[in-house]
Amino acid sequence: MAQPRVSMRRLCRLIPSQNSRLYTSRTSPQWQSLKCLPRNSQRLLHTSSALASPAGDKVTGQTLREEWAQYSHFPSASKAADFVEGNKVTVHGFLLKRRVKSSKLVFADIQVENGPSVQVTATFKEDGSPKQLATKALRAVPLYSPVCVTGIVAQLNGSRIDLDLDAIQPLNAFPKDIIVSEGVQFPASARHLQIRFSDPLRSRLLARPQIGFQLRKTLNDLDFTEVETPILFKSTPEGAREFLVPTRRRGLAYALPQSPQQYKQILMSSGIRGYYQFARCFRDEDLRADRQPEFTQLDLEMGFATGEDVMRTVETLVTQLLPALNAQFNIVKSGDDIYPVPKRGLNNGESTENGDLQWPEPTAPFLRLTYDEAMTRFGIDKPDLRIPFELHRVDHVLPAQFVSMITHTEQPIVEAFRIRPELDGETVTPATIAEFVDKLMDQLPKPLAKNPDGAPAALMFDSKKPLCGLSSLGFEGFDALTSMEAFSDLEDGDVLVFQARKNAPFQGEGSTALGVARTHFYHSFISAGLLPRSFDLKFLWVVNFPMFTPDDGIDPGQGGQAGFKATHHPFTAPLTEADVELLATDPLKARADHYDLVVNGVELGGGSRRIHLSSMQEYVMRNILKMTDAGLAQFSHLLEALRAGCPPHAGFALGFDRLVAVLTHTDSVRDVIAFPKSMKGEDLTVKSPSRMTAQQLETYHLAIAEKKKVEEKQDV
């Protein structure tokens, strides 16, 4: 009878070998006779006589059973109420640190998830005593291994528990070939190690569900109903590229939802007055630090409501969230990292219990800016109000010679801002500022350095130089510029940045070159220590966006033939009755009843009042966007729901990943997602996406097009 073969990968956990994955202390002769495969080998060996014989299988089974019993049977962890001085308790965690003071005294730290720090003291007086065996066992357990520790509570010291060790049981063994040192950086393929050995990353992941809980609690208190909508949707041209899911039915495919937009509008027609869900959304877009192909948004919709009602509801969510978080978390600073930790948990950083780095608690209503005002004052539709300078138009005071030096654009608009670094008269002087700015200008991001309207130009005010360092403006230009209120109080070290752009109205674009430069210079000056870092949360609404935007050839839009697309999506209502009239006469001048929530230069989310009349929705799609009958038919389900007496409604989608990133002081949403995608859209932990097999292609009636044919089709 054939005997079952044991995987060598499994045996590598049992057999001591230089290249084995996991450490073991077994020294039995029959185990020493076996050798493990190198860790990067993909082969399995089944030729060992110890494995091929029935006797070898019997030994293997017995050893596996013993190991399983050793690592799998352990006492439960004690409840919080049991931690009283003098009580015997049990804790589970990882053996984080060990300090051997002598042969009879050992200290160890146990990493307990989402709880206080635990320090274990192991000591004994008599050889062979239980205490001596426990101390020996503690010294034998590999660092970073999961353990079950039983001991007597010696002291409760704030956020730390001191235990006198009675027993320690390893629940697995951490391998020797994984080297852990201070500041170690594990690759993205070892995400489990990144999470375990990075306090900031792990703390942010622990804070994420608490933020979600508070938002859900507020919405439940406001009588919203949580409704789950399908993940397997249909392909509709909402604006972004979709992910398709093929089926076994020839020629048919699902699409993953870009958002639950259409489902939630259908729910409004069903009679549900207030809907929400934490929705998974999918968009096949170019990736960046604040964007993932799959992401989570807090989606909500309100029936019999206007945009004003929705904005007030969102303000309530935010203003109730931050005090609740301040009650549960401390914000700690450890090196360059700033992140929240539970107040009952480990605090390895500088104490902030005095509230120095607590989350600011904003008050409603939030500031509102129109889209045109935001673009004019800040050069971006998601302005960071912490930046202490705005843009000012200056082309009317600049000499033509200077303008021709910074741009070849005819009759451009030229704008400028002033940034004032903090001088100390010693290490930070006008000379060091000039050196820093020169280096900054040499290393501009490519979109700024290669801007078709010209790169930004920087000048520094220095009273020791001719015309105070602004000689390229000439006498008249210098006098005219410094007579403007915004530049009338220039001081040594002030940096002026000029940028030209085409003389055209804003039509839905997200930023100008100078708006991007404003943000870039601000963060660069902070990184260099020339400006203080601000921990304020500056919330605002940006409203009155253009309803339509000219096609840019990047996003697919709605697939119409009008030459423009809906700025946000085709379901957004016009702002006023005058804008309704503009739909028929000049659609690009029509404004939308759309609103974006912005904080510190991050667009947290957006929403709008929806078109709830079927006739107007069809008019926008057919007559304004010039969608084909086939394109319009893709939305027949929504038009039918609107036709069935759908009430006025409005909604909002809050980017939950972005919100958590902002509140936990990180610039990348990848730091708040357990298993994020790379910039190529790959999950490096599980190695996805994977290549389709011939069998899968056959099952789903697919074929891989030749690369040459695909490129020819794209050229056409």
Side-chain angles (χ1 to χ4, degrees), residues 207-521:
R208 179 184 175 111
Q210 295 303 316
I211 295 172
F213 171 81
Q214 293 298 330
L215 295 170
R216 180 178 272 111
K217 180 179 182 299
T218 300
L219 287 169
N220 288 339
D221 291 343
L222 293 173
D223 293 329
F224 278 73
T225 301
E226 185 171 8
V227 180
E228 294 182 353
T229 56
I231 291 295
L232 295 177
F233 185 45
K234 64 178 290 187
S235 178
T236 58
E238 291 186 31
R241 294 185 185 89
E242 302 166 315
F243 288 99
L244 293 180
V245 182
T247 72
R248 289 175 294 167
R249 300 171 63 188
R250 183 183 296 273
L252 297 181
Y254 296 105
L256 300 180
Q258 300 176 35
S259 76
Q261 180 64 43
Q262 296 175 59
Y263 278 121
K264 67 180 180 179
Q265 288 193 247
I266 294 173
L267 283 173
M268 294 300 99
S269 191
S270 74
I272 292 180
R273 296 286 291 270
Y275 140 92
Y276 82 93
Q277 72 168 316
F278 284 84
R280 298 292 290 169
C281 303
F282 307 85
R283 296 177 187 175
D284 188 8
E285 299 177 312
D286 294 334
L287 304 182
R288 57 194 185 205
D290 64 344
R291 180 181 288 173
Q292 287 276 290
E294 57 176 313
F295 57 94
T296 303
Q297 69 182 33
L298 174 54
D299 203 52
L300 63 91
E301 199 79 9
M302 299 171 61
F304 298 93
T306 65
E308 292 290 336
D309 299 317
V310 172
M311 285 189 278
R312 283 195 295 268
T313 298
V314 174
E315 289 174 349
T316 299
L317 283 173
V318 173
T319 55
Q320 291 190 11
L321 170 64
L322 293 170
L325 294 180
N326 279 327
Q328 298 179 56
F329 292 91
N330 287 323
I331 300 178
V332 302
K333 183 176 182 181
S334 179
D336 294 332
D337 283 310
I338 300 175
Y339 54 92
V341 295
K343 286 193 172 180
R344 63 182 181 277
L346 178 63
N347 183 349
N348 284 327
E350 300 171 8
S351 174
T352 58
E353 293 184 2
N354 58 8
D356 288 344
L357 286 180
Q358 282 194 320
W359 283 289
E361 299 179 5
T363 57
F366 298 160
L367 173 70
R368 296 190 188 185
L369 295 176
T370 66
Y371 166 77
D372 283 335
E373 185 179 4
M375 293 295 294
T376 299
R377 291 175 57 186
F378 307 106
I380 194 168
D381 63 358
K382 47 184 178 182
D384 187 345
L385 299 185
R386 297 173 303 171
I387 302 178
F389 45 87
E390 300 183 11
L391 312 188
H392 301 277
R393 185 168 177 175
V394 295
D395 51 273
H396 59 290
V397 301
L398 296 178
Q401 182 179 3
F402 177 78
V403 173
S404 65
M405 292 168 57
I406 65 173
T407 183
H408 296 297
T409 302
E410 295 184 3
Q411 297 182 334
I413 290 176
V414 180
E415 296 162 317
F417 64 76
R418 174 191 64 184
I419 183 169
R420 174 168 291 171
E422 292 189 343
L423 305 180
D424 60 14
E426 297 178 1
T427 59
V428 182
T429 64
T432 60
I433 295 297
E435 182 179 353
F436 170 76
V437 172
D438 286 343
K439 184 177 180 181
L440 186 62
M441 296 300 292
D442 289 339
Q443 299 175 350
L444 285 175
K446 187 175 181 179
L448 292 177
K450 301 297 183 181
N451 177 27
D453 293 321
L459 301 176
M460 193 192 73
F461 189 91
D462 187 346
S463 58
K464 296 179 181 180
K465 293 184 176 181
L467 284 182
C468 299
L470 308 183
S471 56
S472 56
L473 301 180
F475 288 99
E476 293 184 4
F478 175 85
D479 290 339
L481 182 71
T482 54
S483 66
M484 294 179 60
E485 182 178 356
F487 304 103
S488 61
D489 59 344
L490 295 176
E491 299 177 359
D492 283 349
D494 284 0
V495 178
L496 305 180
V497 181
F498 300 84
Q499 176 71 63
R501 63 179 174 89
K502 291 181 176 61
N503 193 344
F506 301 117
Q507 292 187 307
E509 59 268 37
S511 62
T512 65
L514 191 60
V516 174
R518 172 178 176 266
T519 302
H520 178 68
F521 271 72

Side-chain angles (χ1 to χ4, degrees), residues 116-117 155-161 343-345 353:
S117 61
Q155 187 177 11
L156 299 175
N157 184 14
S159 61
R160 196 183 80 187
I161 298 173
K343 286 193 172 180
R344 63 182 181 277
E353 293 184 2

Side-chain angles (χ1 to χ4, degrees), residues 20 145 297 311 320 450 459 620 657 675 713:
S20 63
S145 298
Q297 69 182 33
M311 285 189 278
Q320 291 190 11
K450 301 297 183 181
L459 301 176
V620 167
D657 304 315
F675 299 101
K713 186 174 181 181

